[in-house]
Amino acid sequence: MKIHKYDTVIVGAGGAGMRAAIEATKRSRTAVLTKLYPTRSHTGAAQGGMAAALANVEEDNWEWHTFDTVKGGDYLVDQDAAEILAKEAIDSVLDLEKMGLPFNRTPDGTIDQRRFGGHSRNHGEAPVRRSCYAADRTGHMILQTLYQNCVKEGVEFFNEFYVLDQLITEVDGVKHSAGVVAYELATGEIHVFQSKAVIYASGGTGKFFKVTSNAHTLTGDGQAAVYRRGLPLEDMEFFQFHPTGIWRMGILLTEGARGEGGILRNKDGERFMEKYAPVMKDLASRDVVSRSIYTEIREGRGCGPEGDHVYLDLTHLPPEQLDAKLPDITEFARTYLGIEPYTDPIPIQPTAHYAMGGIPTNVEGEVLRDNTTVVPGLYAAGEVACVSVHGANRLGTNSLLDINVFGKRAGIAAAEYSARTASHVELPEDPASLVVEQIERLRSGTGNERVADIRRELQETMDANVMVFRTEQTIKTAVEKIAELRERYKNVSIQDKGKRFNTDLLEAVELGNLLDLAEVMAVSALARKESRGGHYREDYPNRDDVNFMRHTMAYREVGDDGAESIRLDYKPVVQTRYQPMERKY
Amino acid sequence: MATPTLDKADGAGKPEAGFADSPYITATFRIRRFNSEVSAEAAWEDFQLEIDPKERVLDALHKIKWDQDGTLTFRRSCAHGICGSDAMRINGKNRLACKTLIKDLNPEKPITVEPIKGLTVLKDLVVDMEPFFQAFRDVMPFLITKDTNEPTRERLQSAEDRERFDDTTKCILCAACTSSCPVFWNDGQYFGPAAIVNAHRFIFDSRDEAGEQRLEILNDKDGVWRCRTTFNCTDACPRGIEVTKAIQEVKRALITRRF
């Protein structure tokens, strides 16, 4: 075991982690621990753009953006945070341009902007061009630009270091972050990183679904690490299903395709979104569009022999426009489906895409241990966190924005905390013990359960029971199945017993994280007896502001007998200028 | 390659429910294995599996790892050609496993999968990427400007100027190009195509003001002049970047000092 000492440790090197690292490295001795090489993160898969009311091509302002974000989130958004998001969006985009990001340009040479779902002029009058973009590879450009600037700033990376545990030390009865414990993939060695501040920026948890746009590596490692240490997770029942994933594969096809004029059609060729969202049509918010697609499919208007998908039609758009604005997604259709998007519609279905919930933070990125108290030295930003700027449903282009605005904020706040804190808090006694025990148990396990089987069953139950449509019955089915799988996971064994690059072991650890988080999600969903944003209960189809205008806070509890359970609590929503209204598009 | 072949594994990997109508085929994957904890020598190992030919080579590797041999080791993340983790040599050509469909490989014959060349193999298909990223860092891959006053708004750039370096912005740092280059195989000191592509991305960006410095770096004995225009890199690039052309443009800029 090796012990390292830094001022600030950042967990994860995607957009939020690297944005934080650029700030933190300037202000404190910083290490970035990342289970992937920095440019491998899933920020790179984001396509359509980053929202900011630059007003480069038409009238726009940050207040309209704030309103759209609050409405898009079905009023579960903390409005003070949304206001910061929309206001700081403008400087965030300009920061990236100054760092070198190659945005598409207008004829005047300014940053070009395009339409995106749920973004509107003057509180819902009509779609507005707010998304700043670089073809359909905006996430790729953000990731590359941030990595380039990390190279410039000399950010210190520990690549393929997998953080498995959060260390907490009580000082005068107050829980402080003391550092993290990481597993080095190349050698199997365990490292303790003692630090004044820790920032989680480790991304989402989409791999508990089968049809998902998420990378194989998005297994909720950060959420699981803090949750197991008794810290809460907020709003985990809210998961976004992106309307246009490639049929059966789940690969994302950007909403920018509809922003450029693409149309969703059912088997009769009907533009069905006109029925569900007369104003915004195909550019209604994602939860609305995904439910509409499944409604078409359930009512027998789906496409294909099994009627299990609909079409994204781009055939009426000029090939030059597709080449210039949507080169990557048209290539995906050619590569993976053998379809030519110039002439043929693309089969799509909703795909599990984004966790609105996560580790609760305030607007400085400080992690909360209950509804109001922060854990000194602990921060989170990006998809792993819940500020909450996305509420019950995130608007497209607001996640690339979130990682930049709150990545920067967390980076500055954590480094300033490190700078003003005289000394490190002491490490707990035997700090690596939990991780050593976990690794040894998995490596020496001789049970008859296999990781791949349990993961497959988990993904199947999540797709079947807690996806776009949910009921008491389906969620209970999922809860029971997850409990069974968690029991079986205790008897899991792996084939690779080695130390070097043991990805077999890593997948077993990741599955443990997914099981814990799936349970939190299902239990949180069961208790929320209403429909709001991405959480749709067929047995409670309406939003219930009287009982559920509040954030879910889920805590892991361990009884005296060692039995684990989940305790749910609730946190008020911050409302400033917008009163909840019925949500129409 | 004259390396021993291990005993063949039994076939496994049943078709998944819901795909029963798919035309499954039996394919053999011949994978180059290396694990220093087991043996100092690399060896080929054959795996047979039933698979839909429309699936990716990455799907096949996962089926092998998940259903047959958990020790098989490779890097992967996004699984659709964006993250650059899974460049490998498939039937002798550098490709991304997640962008290569089995039907495009003649699955009648064994499909060979081996690590990319020119970088030290650490385990199975995993190589040491550090020399590759060092070459990237050495070309100063970030925008450099001499503004004394930062503009308050964005810098202006015409659509034409933006288009000038569009091709080289697509790089995902997968190393497929660099590890397909015969010069790089023979001389690990050579910057390699990927680093030059990333230098090109800034040299031809109208906003950047350090083109001369980057050109001097690439004027080195291990710089662009080592390129023998074999076009392996262009063939290998999973993003369709015209890599050789970009290298030639850098060479030309070195001669004319115009860019």
Side-chain angles (χ1 to χ4, degrees):
Chain A
M1 185 184 80
K2 275 188 190 156
I3 295 186
H4 310 254
K5 207 166 177 179
Y6 282 85
D7 291 332
T8 307
V9 162
I10 298 172
V11 182
M18 291 202 287
R19 190 68 190 83
I22 289 167
E23 301 302 330
T25 298
K26 290 174 188 165
R27 296 170 172 85
S28 66
R29 190 159 171 266
T30 300
V32 180
L33 315 186
T34 170
K35 80 170 172 177
L36 301 170
Y37 270 81
T39 56
R40 309 299 186 220
S41 109
H42 216 51
T43 297
Q47 297 165 355
M50 173 167 166
L54 298 183
N56 278 0
V57 288
E58 60 181 315
E59 187 186 358
D60 197 8
N61 64 63
W62 63 258
E63 189 274 319
W64 294 352
H65 185 183
T66 309
F67 171 79
D68 290 337
T69 300
V70 171
K71 177 184 169 188
D74 221 346
Y75 296 91
L76 196 70
V77 171
D78 286 326
Q79 295 183 13
D80 54 339
E83 190 167 315
I84 287 170
L85 182 81
K87 263 188 198 168
E88 296 186 7
I90 294 161
D91 277 341
S92 269
V93 166
L94 298 178
D95 278 354
L96 287 171
E97 197 284 326
K98 286 166 194 168
M99 286 186 206
L101 197 137
F103 284 107
N104 277 42
R105 300 288 172 154
T106 65
D108 297 334
T110 58
I111 295 169
D112 199 11
Q113 299 188 271
R114 68 177 164 206
R115 292 174 177 175
F116 234 81
H119 291 280
S120 75
R121 174 161 58 85
N122 194 17
H123 314 97
E125 270 180 17
V128 73
R129 291 172 64 180
R130 185 178 292 147
S131 164
C132 309
Y133 68 100
D136 56 352
R137 36 181 97 106
T138 316
H140 163 77
M141 299 298 189
I142 289 177
L143 194 64
Q144 295 293 328
T145 301
L146 291 175
Y147 182 56
Q148 290 155 3
N149 281 273
C150 284
V151 171
K152 185 179 181 181
E153 298 294 337
V155 171
E156 191 175 350
F157 288 99
F158 288 79
N159 296 327
E160 297 182 322
F161 274 59
Y162 187 11
V163 169
L164 292 180
D165 195 16
Q166 167 64 38
L167 297 174
I168 301 226
T169 301
E170 283 198 18
V171 181
D172 301 330
V174 178
K175 284 182 174 182
H176 284 61
S177 171
V180 296
V181 184
Y183 174 89
E184 184 183 3
L185 188 59
T187 61
E189 196 165 1
I190 289 166
H191 299 255
V192 172
F193 285 82
Q194 184 177 18
S195 65
K196 294 174 186 168
V198 170
I199 306 172
Y200 281 92
S202 47
T205 178
K207 274 320 263 191
F208 52 39
F209 289 102
K210 182 176 167 195
V211 176
T212 173
S213 63
N214 280 204
H216 287 286
T217 43
L218 285 171
T219 50
D221 310 326
Q223 295 90 325
V226 301
Y227 173 69
R228 277 199 287 270
R229 287 295 181 182
L231 299 176
L233 295 176
E234 180 175 353
D235 288 343
M236 290 293 282
E237 64 271 39
F238 294 102
F239 207 92
Q240 177 165 86
F241 304 94
H242 191 291
T244 53
I246 289 182
W247 176 46
R248 285 184 171 169
M249 299 182 82
I251 295 172
L252 178 68
L253 299 178
T254 176
E255 193 167 297
R258 284 170 282 139
E260 293 291 341
I263 291 169
L264 296 171
R265 298 190 190 280
N266 63 20
K267 71 169 185 183
D268 303 319
E270 183 192 4
R271 183 182 194 176
F272 57 84
M273 281 312 300
E274 289 176 333
K275 291 184 294 193
Y276 302 98
V279 176
M280 297 293 279
K281 300 191 178 77
D282 300 274
L283 288 174
S285 70
R286 290 176 177 173
D287 57 328
V288 172
V289 181
S290 285
R291 276 195 295 280
S292 304
I293 291 171
Y294 271 128
T295 303
E296 291 295 302
I297 289 170
R298 284 173 153 201
E299 293 178 359
R301 292 186 294 279
C303 306
E306 290 168 47
D308 59 353
H309 57 277
V310 298
Y311 286 129
L312 172 63
D313 184 3
L314 307 175
T315 59
H316 54 292
L317 301 176
E320 315 80 73
Q321 187 184 353
L322 297 183
D323 292 350
K325 302 292 182 66
L326 303 167
D328 278 3
I329 64 140
T330 45
E331 192 195 308
F332 295 157
R334 291 180 194 116
T335 303
Y336 296 112
L337 295 167
I339 277 176
E340 177 46 67
Y342 295 159
T343 51
D344 293 305
I346 306 168
I348 57 97
Q349 72 178 98
T351 181
H353 186 55
Y354 186 88
M356 269 74 74
I359 302 171
T361 71
N362 62 20
V363 296
E364 305 305 331
E366 294 174 290
V367 170
L368 300 174
R369 58 173 243 233
D370 54 36
N371 285 1
T372 51
T373 322
V374 302
V375 182
L378 194 58
Y379 298 79
E383 190 173 346
V384 71
C386 181
V387 182
S388 149
V389 288
H390 307 306
N393 170 66
R394 174 176 68 74
L395 289 189
T397 68
N398 267 357
S399 63
L400 289 179
L401 179 56
D402 177 6
I403 59 178
N404 278 288
V405 168
F406 291 100
K408 180 178 179 179
R409 282 180 157 254
I412 294 171
E416 286 180 348
Y417 175 84
S418 296
R420 71 172 178 265
T421 304
S423 58
H424 290 69
V425 300
E426 277 187 41
L427 289 171
E429 206 175 319
D430 201 1
S433 57
L434 197 76
V435 171
V436 170
E437 189 270 329
Q438 181 187 13
I439 296 293
E440 280 319 304
R441 181 165 35 83
L442 286 169
R443 201 183 261 135
S444 61
T446 54
N448 54 0
E449 292 288 352
R450 296 194 313 174
V451 169
D453 294 337
I454 296 177
R455 185 175 50 214
R456 208 171 278 143
E457 289 180 46
L458 173 67
Q459 291 170 342
E460 273 162 17
T461 198
M462 295 295 278
D463 273 22
N465 296 308
V466 286
M467 229 177 163
V468 172
F469 290 109
R470 303 167 175 178
T471 67
E472 175 109 7
Q473 192 49 53
T474 65
I475 301 170
K476 276 187 173 160
T477 304
V479 170
E480 283 163 22
K481 182 70 185 179
I482 294 163
E484 175 211 313
L485 295 174
R486 279 166 57 86
E487 209 44 45
R488 283 168 54 192
Y489 179 73
K490 292 175 184 163
N491 292 317
V492 89
S493 69
I494 56 174
Q495 284 174 282
D496 195 337
K497 312 289 186 190
K499 298 239 180 223
R500 292 172 60 77
F501 280 96
N502 192 337
T503 53
D504 205 21
L505 173 72
L506 208 61
E507 286 192 34
V509 172
E510 290 170 336
L511 175 62
N513 294 341
L514 289 177
L515 286 166
D516 284 356
L517 298 172
E519 184 181 42
V520 175
M521 181 201 220
V523 167
S524 302
L526 190 61
R528 186 172 282 275
K529 295 181 172 163
E530 65 155 355
S531 291
R532 185 187 296 271
H535 171 72
Y536 190 83
R537 291 279 302 254
E538 291 185 88
D539 42 355
Y540 300 94
N542 298 316
R543 196 175 76 198
D544 176 359
D545 288 339
V546 175
N547 294 301
F548 289 104
M549 177 61 88
R550 54 186 190 171
H551 300 290
T552 306
M553 299 282 274
Y555 296 80
R556 174 176 179 266
E557 302 223 291
V558 183
D560 294 336
D561 56 353
E564 290 178 40
S565 61
I566 297 172
R567 176 173 65 85
L568 295 184
D569 195 2
Y570 292 90
K571 185 172 80 148
V573 175
V574 179
Q575 288 183 34
T576 54
R577 61 175 87 194
Y578 306 110
Q579 288 304 307
M581 294 190 302
E582 193 192 350
R583 194 155 151 267
K584 283 184 184 164
Y585 281 100
Chain B
M1 208 170 287
T3 42
T5 302
L6 299 179
D7 289 340
K8 289 183 179 183
D10 289 330
K14 295 278 186 294
E16 284 175 32
F19 284 80
D21 55 333
S22 300
Y24 272 70
I25 59 162
T26 303
T28 301
F29 284 82
R30 181 162 294 166
I31 302 175
R32 195 164 164 79
R33 306 292 308 270
F34 171 69
N35 182 354
S36 63
E37 290 179 283
V38 175
S39 164
E41 301 292 323
W44 293 97
E45 186 172 9
D46 282 5
F47 296 91
Q48 283 191 339
L49 66 160
E50 289 185 27
I51 193 157
D52 182 337
K54 292 195 293 297
E55 290 195 75
R56 300 160 273 200
V57 170
L58 180 62
D59 297 315
L61 295 176
H62 272 145
K63 279 181 204 271
I64 294 166
K65 183 174 181 66
W66 294 342
D67 298 332
Q68 296 188 35
D69 184 351
T71 69
L72 180 66
T73 303
F74 48 93
R75 293 189 176 108
R76 89 286 187 257
S77 187
C78 79
H80 65 286
I82 292 298
C83 76
S85 298
D86 63 348
M88 44 191 84
R89 209 166 147 83
I90 300 167
N91 279 358
K93 189 181 166 214
N94 280 5
R95 319 173 206 236
L96 298 182
C98 62
K99 257 190 121 168
T100 307
L101 304 193
I102 291 158
K103 70 180 173 61
D104 298 329
L105 290 170
N106 184 15
E108 304 280 302
K109 291 185 182 170
I111 293 165
T112 62
V113 183
E114 52 192 313
I116 49 177
K117 288 173 72 174
L119 294 161
T120 307
V121 179
L122 300 176
K123 184 177 173 184
D124 290 346
L125 303 170
V126 174
V127 299
D128 179 9
M129 294 292 288
E130 201 38 49
F132 173 82
F133 278 102
Q134 187 57 51
F136 169 78
R137 290 191 290 264
D138 285 346
V139 299
M140 304 196 297
F142 37 81
L143 190 76
I144 299 174
T145 59
K146 297 176 179 137
D147 304 335
T148 39
N149 295 315
E150 275 238 315
T152 51
R153 291 290 295 196
E154 68 264 48
R155 291 187 185 82
L156 299 181
Q157 182 170 52
S158 71
E160 294 71 40
D161 283 346
R162 165 66 179 78
E163 183 61 25
R164 180 67 190 86
F165 64 102
D166 186 63
D167 201 36
T168 46
T169 64
K170 296 189 300 200
C171 177
I172 54 174
L173 298 170
C174 68
C177 61
T178 294
S179 64
S180 74
C181 174
V183 178
F184 181 76
W185 297 340
N186 291 325
D187 177 5
Q189 302 289 310
Y190 172 44
F191 278 93
I196 301 171
V197 159
N198 281 281
H200 178 283
R201 179 252 171 275
F202 289 101
I203 291 168
F204 291 94
D205 185 334
S206 59
R207 299 169 297 174
D208 187 80
E209 296 176 272
E212 288 288 348
Q213 281 167 266
R214 288 194 192 87
L215 286 174
E216 276 320 307
I217 292 169
L218 293 174
N219 205 10
D220 184 85
K221 68 179 170 51
D222 294 313
V224 283
W225 305 113
R226 301 295 308 275
C227 169
R228 290 286 173 269
T229 49
T230 52
F231 283 90
N232 280 16
C233 50
T234 302
D235 285 347
C237 179
R239 302 286 288 156
I241 300 171
E242 293 184 272
V243 181
T244 314
K245 184 181 167 200
I247 297 172
Q248 294 310 104
E249 287 178 351
V250 173
K251 285 182 184 171
R252 203 174 309 129
L254 261 169
I255 294 165
T256 63
R257 296 287 162 166
R258 286 172 60 180
F259 45 86

